[in-house]
Amino acid sequence: MTPTGFVSEFYPSFWWIPAGVLTAALAIKLPTIIRLWADPMLRAVGGLLVLACAVFVFVAPSTIALVNRVTGVPNISAPWVYSLLTAFGGSCLLLIIAWRNGLSDRSAQTVRATRWVVAVYSGVIAALWVLFALADAPVERLRDLDTYYADTPYMREMILLYLLAHTVATVITSGLIWNWVRTDGLDAWLRWGLKFLGVGYAIQLLFDAAKLTAVAARWGGRRLDWLSTGVAPPIACLSAILIAVGFILPHAGQYLHDRWRVRLAHHELRPLYLLMRTANGSGVPFVLRSTAELRLIRRETFIRDVLLPLARHIDDDRRQRSYEAALALGHEPGRAKALASALAIQDAVEARRRPDDGAGGCEPGCDPDTTDLLREIGAVSRALRRTDDLLALRAGARDAGVRVAGGPTPP
């Protein structure tokens, strides 16, 4: 079976594939749209996805037949589907203009461009219905209406009008997107989303080219209907999928990135959390239904709450000597500071267990400065994972004649 024959075989159900993908994209996006309903950009993206879903639902042959039968007008689905497709092209153009310039941009150029798009595409949609009302199209066509009525007065103009309007919107939108992609300073997720959009709209131009070629061939007495019924449908499906990915990727990618960053921060605090749990005798109570952000906040709070009284047992002189030893071992200042703090906390935990040994720590009544220690718990926790570095630091300090003792040897 040829590719064209394959598409023709599955044509009735072919259109539900992009409709399902777009519906899934809308379902993924819907919670964010509802939660941030005040954001007009998110509402616009949601509306665009709804419009794209509608295009593929109503272009399916079973839906076309249902609409024609319910209204009692043969081929009335044609101006309806063409109107949806035209509205989708104009909406994409408006969204890209607003997305790139920002909703706060009310410059004369932006306002003028927005008004032109709304006026022109509203006029095109009105003209489509007028031309259909003037045309004579009694034979219902579920798959090949574009080429079947390519020579029919008024139907010919209606078909050509929607294809040209869609082509112009696609060319302008694609140009704006690729110019935007080359802009410096874009967020990585936004840049990838724009690339998917750019490829999706470039593929839409192939859809328009296939349709226009098939229609023009009819005008010249040739039959290239397979371009319209066999080539254009899979192109439209692929384009819709890429455009859906392009619109949801910046938001979904940033959301997943934030979730990953929170979970990574929670995981990085585990070594210090376990050490503080050893010092405290208990940890954070388990809560079955808690968000990743809440678990991170509770772990950070627990660590700081245990560190505050534990700071009285930290020997600042010993920590300073450990810091100098770490620098001597070749660690950069930030890492040397974290390693020295990690050793000091280990020593403090051990000193707290043996309060009568009189080793180091803060005198009764003093108020140790814990600002840096509480602020750098993430770096300290990461340093606790580097047991080899901690062992080398203790050994290096001993070899240099610096007394960094009293703490347990890292496992």
Side-chain angles (χ1 to χ4, degrees), residues 82-398:
Y82 295 163
S83 298
L84 289 175
L85 194 59
T86 302
F88 174 76
S91 298
C92 289
L93 190 53
L94 287 175
L95 182 60
I96 294 300
I97 293 173
W99 195 2
R100 178 175 183 176
N101 297 338
L103 293 173
S104 59
D105 181 13
R106 303 301 298 171
S107 63
Q109 183 179 5
T110 301
V111 173
R112 185 165 57 251
T114 301
R115 289 176 178 174
W116 266 102
V117 172
V118 172
V120 169
Y121 280 85
S122 298
V124 169
I125 292 174
L128 291 174
W129 286 96
V130 171
L131 290 170
F132 179 76
L134 295 174
D136 182 20
V139 181
E140 183 183 58
R141 308 301 298 183
L142 302 181
R143 302 187 184 186
D144 60 346
L145 184 139
D146 291 346
T147 51
Y148 185 85
Y149 286 108
D151 294 324
T152 303
Y154 299 113
M155 287 292 289
R156 174 181 59 230
E157 287 77 9
M158 181 187 72
I159 295 167
L160 183 62
L161 180 61
Y162 103 83
L163 287 175
L164 290 178
H166 185 262
T167 302
V168 170
T170 302
V171 169
I172 296 175
T173 305
S174 181
L176 290 175
I177 289 173
W178 286 113
N179 286 335
W180 192 5
V181 169
R182 290 190 289 269
T183 304
D184 295 330
L186 290 182
D187 175 77
W189 291 109
L190 176 58
R191 189 181 298 277
W192 275 106
L194 290 173
K195 288 180 179 179
F196 274 98
L197 286 174
V199 174
Y201 280 105
I203 292 176
Q204 274 199 2
L205 291 176
L206 298 178
F207 166 84
D208 294 324
K211 285 283 188 177
L212 285 169
T213 302
V215 170
R218 280 283 187 143
W219 299 341
R222 300 181 60 189
R223 296 180 65 89
L224 296 177
D225 296 6
W226 58 272
L227 287 174
S228 179
T229 58
V231 175
I235 292 176
C237 293
L238 179 60
S239 173
I241 293 172
L242 292 174
I243 289 174
V245 171
F247 275 120
I248 68 174
L249 186 61
H251 302 283
Q254 188 61 50
Y255 172 81
L256 294 175
H257 177 71
D258 292 341
R259 298 283 75 73
W260 167 254
R261 188 169 53 187
V262 169
R263 294 182 183 277
L264 181 62
H266 184 270
H267 177 70
E268 286 183 341
L269 288 176
R270 178 175 173 78
L272 185 56
Y273 167 73
L274 293 177
L275 185 60
M276 294 299 96
R277 191 172 67 177
T278 300
N280 188 62
S282 63
V284 178
F286 176 75
V287 179
L288 181 61
R289 302 188 64 178
S290 61
T291 63
E293 292 86 351
L294 181 58
R295 290 196 297 270
L296 175 61
I297 292 173
R298 296 181 68 198
R299 176 165 287 188
E300 291 175 338
T301 303
F302 173 80
I303 290 173
R304 292 189 173 99
D305 287 346
V306 178
L307 270 178
L308 281 173
L310 187 65
R312 296 178 55 83
H313 300 277
I314 291 178
D315 188 336
D316 288 329
D317 293 336
R318 183 179 296 173
R319 181 167 58 164
Q320 180 62 28
R321 293 194 299 269
S322 299
Y323 172 71
E324 293 171 357
L327 290 177
L329 289 173
H331 295 289
E332 54 93 14
R335 184 162 185 77
K337 187 176 181 180
L339 288 169
S341 297
L343 286 179
I345 292 174
Q346 286 181 338
D347 294 342
V349 171
E350 188 64 21
R352 189 179 184 183
R353 292 174 180 171
R354 297 181 283 103
D356 297 331
D357 63 357
C362 183
E363 296 295 333
C366 72
D367 186 15
D369 185 6
T370 59
T371 303
D372 290 342
L373 192 61
L374 296 179
R375 186 173 58 242
E376 297 172 358
I377 58 176
V380 172
S381 185
R382 289 192 295 271
L384 287 171
R385 289 182 178 274
R386 309 298 297 183
T387 56
D388 293 341
D389 290 342
L390 293 175
L391 285 170
L393 178 55
R394 287 190 183 275
R398 284 196 301 268

Side-chain angles (χ1 to χ4, degrees), residues 61-77 140:
S62 57
T63 310
I64 291 175
L66 177 63
V67 172
N68 292 341
R69 184 169 64 252
V70 169
T71 59
V73 179
N75 298 314
I76 197 173
S77 286
E140 183 183 58

